[in-house]
């Protein structure tokens, strides 16, 4: 953890952190938002006890974003992970002079009916931002609209994402993230009933194991089955483990263990660390030390993956959701036996 933090501190320049080709970014790029950029790095380093001046860096990132948004225009600014909203949440939580409640209210309001209806771009992400910053009216309005779009016949949301209309199941882009965002708006009992129906209907069962496809109706040969946080059992269990039948959560956890660490890398979104956090959720639910031990075994493998990638590319990977600081947060979670998932549980 210490050397990941130290390397993250030293890799920053006046404009942020260099991109990585595994994220389809050139080393010269300087992404600013929460998912791949400066906001995520600042938040994670501060969480890990770094001595960086987080309020100052948050303000600098906001100024740079407003001058040159990550995607070249302001259309994506309301997004929690990819836009200005995430930067403003960071500023508010860090006590930065650049915190701007009025602007944050505008962004949450503008995003309340975003057609993606999901966490990364849509209203469930900006709902979390509003709740974290005490914007109760904006949070309530977004929650009401999200609830109204929750279809009673399928217990899912129909979304338009990247030009495709689908019903996505995982936390990053669909059902699990939306249901999680509706905590406190609806009672746990009501959420549990609807979550259980949806997960029972969409579960793929075999030999006592359970996984979930990326979408409710996969296209033959077109929607690969995954076992990672953003799509599949790891994200479902880590996000909704307490709102689903325990036997389903345990069957999903056993699948994650048998599948093993991800070849994609060590990170949170689609890597070993994200999968390992599902084991910590199961430990929190059961007090069974086996799940804590499994999380820690994944953690040791994730360390090796970070080292291997550094040897391969000659440098670290400086993002929260795909890079090294996300792994460091997972290592801390394994030491503390804490199932809280970065940002979505900790804002």
């Amino acid at each position: 953890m210490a050397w990941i933090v130290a390397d993250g501190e030293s890799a920053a320049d006046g404009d942020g952190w260099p991109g990585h080709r595994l994220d389809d970014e050139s080393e010269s790029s300087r992404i600013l938002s929460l998912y791949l950029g400066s906001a995520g790095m600042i938040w994670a380093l501060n969480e890990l006890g770094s001595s960086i001046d987080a309020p100052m860096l948050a303000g600098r990132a906001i100024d740079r974003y407003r001058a040159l948004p990550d995607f070249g225009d302001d259309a994506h600014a309301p997004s929690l992970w990819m836009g200005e909203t995430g930067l403003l949440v960071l500023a508010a939580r860090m006590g930065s002079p650049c915190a701007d409640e009025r602007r944050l209210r505008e962004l949450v309001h503008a995003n309340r009916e975003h057609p993606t209806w999901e966490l990364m771009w849509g209203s469930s992400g900006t709902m979390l931002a509003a709740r974290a910053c005490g914007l109760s009216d904006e949070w309530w309005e977004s929650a009401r609209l999200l609830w109204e779009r929750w279809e009673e016949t399928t217990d899912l949301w129909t979304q338009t994402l990247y030009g495709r209309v689908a019903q996505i199941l995982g936390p990053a882009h669909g059902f699990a993230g939306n249901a999680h965002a509706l905590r406190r708006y609806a009672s746990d009992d009501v959420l549990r009933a609807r979550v259980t129906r949806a997960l029972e209907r969409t579960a793929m069962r075999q030999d006592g194991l359970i996984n979930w496809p990326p979408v409710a109706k996969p296209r033959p040969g077109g929607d690969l089955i995954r076992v990672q946080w953003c799509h599949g059992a790891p994200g479902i269990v880590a996000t909704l483990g307490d709102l689903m039948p325990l036997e389903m959560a345990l069957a999903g956890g056993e699948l994650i263990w048998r599948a093993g660490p991800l070849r994609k890398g060590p990170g949170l979104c689609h890597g070993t660390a994200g999968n390992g956090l599902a084991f910590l959720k199961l430990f929190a639910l059961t007090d069974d030390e086996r799940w804590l031990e499994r999380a820690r075994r994944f953690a040791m493998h994730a360390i090796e993956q970070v080292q291997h990638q550094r040897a391969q590319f000659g440098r670290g990977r400086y993002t929260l959701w795909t890079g090294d600081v996300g792994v460091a947060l997972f290592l801390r979670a394994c030491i503390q036996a804490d199932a809280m998932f970065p940002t979505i549980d900790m804002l």
Side-chain angles (χ1 to χ4, degrees):
M1 289 167 57
W3 60 256
I4 289 174
V5 169
D7 181 63
E9 291 172 338
S10 65
D13 57 29
D15 294 327
W17 282 264
H20 199 288
R21 72 185 194 189
L22 291 177
D23 297 312
D24 297 322
E25 294 292 338
S26 69
E27 189 164 336
S28 62
S29 70
R30 295 295 184 272
I31 301 296
L32 298 163
S33 45
L34 195 61
Y35 183 80
L36 289 179
S38 294
M41 287 296 297
I42 297 164
W43 181 84
L45 289 172
N46 186 72
E47 277 287 315
L48 291 163
S50 171
S51 60
I52 62 169
D53 187 341
M56 181 273 293
L57 290 174
R60 181 182 295 173
I62 289 172
D63 289 343
R64 288 197 65 244
Y65 182 92
R66 288 174 174 169
L68 185 64
D70 284 350
F71 297 94
D73 58 44
D74 204 39
H76 303 295
S79 167
L80 173 64
W81 281 357
M82 299 297 199
E84 187 181 347
T85 290
L87 289 158
L88 288 173
V89 173
L90 173 72
R93 298 304 296 267
M94 299 296 109
S96 172
C98 287
D100 187 339
E101 182 177 296
R102 180 194 60 79
R103 173 63 173 162
L104 184 56
R105 288 182 186 275
E106 290 176 355
L107 292 171
V108 174
H109 183 76
N111 212 42
R112 68 196 188 283
E113 295 186 89
H114 195 281
T116 57
W117 297 105
E118 44 89 85
L119 186 65
M120 179 174 280
W121 301 102
S123 66
S124 55
T126 41
M127 279 171 58
L128 295 178
R131 191 168 69 191
C133 295
L135 307 182
S136 57
D137 290 344
E138 287 73 16
W139 172 79
W140 186 266
E141 180 187 28
S142 292
R144 177 183 61 80
L145 292 168
L146 184 64
W147 179 267
E148 290 175 356
R149 293 293 294 242
W150 199 353
E151 299 173 10
E152 293 186 5
T153 55
T154 64
D155 291 300
L156 301 172
W157 283 264
T158 298
Q159 305 145 265
T160 302
L161 180 67
Y162 307 139
R164 180 185 178 188
V165 176
Q167 292 181 318
I168 303 171
L169 299 178
H173 290 302
F175 159 78
N178 289 349
H180 177 68
L182 285 168
R183 295 175 189 268
R184 303 185 205 175
Y185 180 81
S187 72
D188 283 356
D189 287 342
V190 170
L191 291 174
R192 188 170 291 111
R194 299 199 69 173
V195 164
T196 297
R197 287 198 302 266
L199 295 182
E200 290 279 8
R201 186 180 297 120
T202 55
M204 302 182 300
R205 299 174 181 264
Q206 184 177 334
D207 300 329
L209 308 177
I210 293 181
N211 197 15
W212 286 270
V215 296
K217 296 180 180 179
R219 299 172 294 187
D223 292 297
L224 296 177
I225 302 304
R226 296 176 173 86
V227 184
Q228 55 197 41
W229 181 82
C230 48
H231 298 292
I236 300 290
V237 173
T239 308
L240 300 178
D242 58 320
L243 294 177
M244 59 196 291
L246 183 58
E247 60 87 11
M248 294 186 76
L250 292 172
E254 190 62 32
L255 172 81
I256 300 163
W257 174 248
R258 295 194 197 181
L262 270 83
R263 288 180 294 175
K264 288 184 176 181
L268 292 172
C269 187
H270 36 267
T272 299
N275 283 24
L277 277 156
F279 298 147
L280 293 179
K281 173 69 81 170
L282 291 171
F283 176 63
L285 292 172
T286 65
D287 287 325
D288 184 342
E289 294 282 341
R290 174 183 54 164
W291 296 110
L292 180 58
E293 173 65 16
R294 288 179 171 185
R296 289 173 171 173
R297 286 174 181 262
F298 267 44
M300 298 307 293
H301 190 87
I303 292 171
E304 292 183 358
Q305 289 179 299
V306 169
Q307 293 170 333
H308 175 76
Q309 283 192 356
R310 284 169 177 257
Q312 181 181 3
F313 294 99
R315 44 162 296 209
R317 191 173 178 182
Y318 306 112
T319 76
L320 169 57
W321 279 93
T322 65
D324 301 348
V325 291
V327 176
L329 288 167
F330 173 52
L331 301 182
R332 185 185 69 171
C334 286
I335 293 169
Q336 298 176 347
D338 183 357
M340 299 284 281
F341 208 96
T343 68
I344 68 168
D345 287 331
M346 298 164 65
L347 283 175

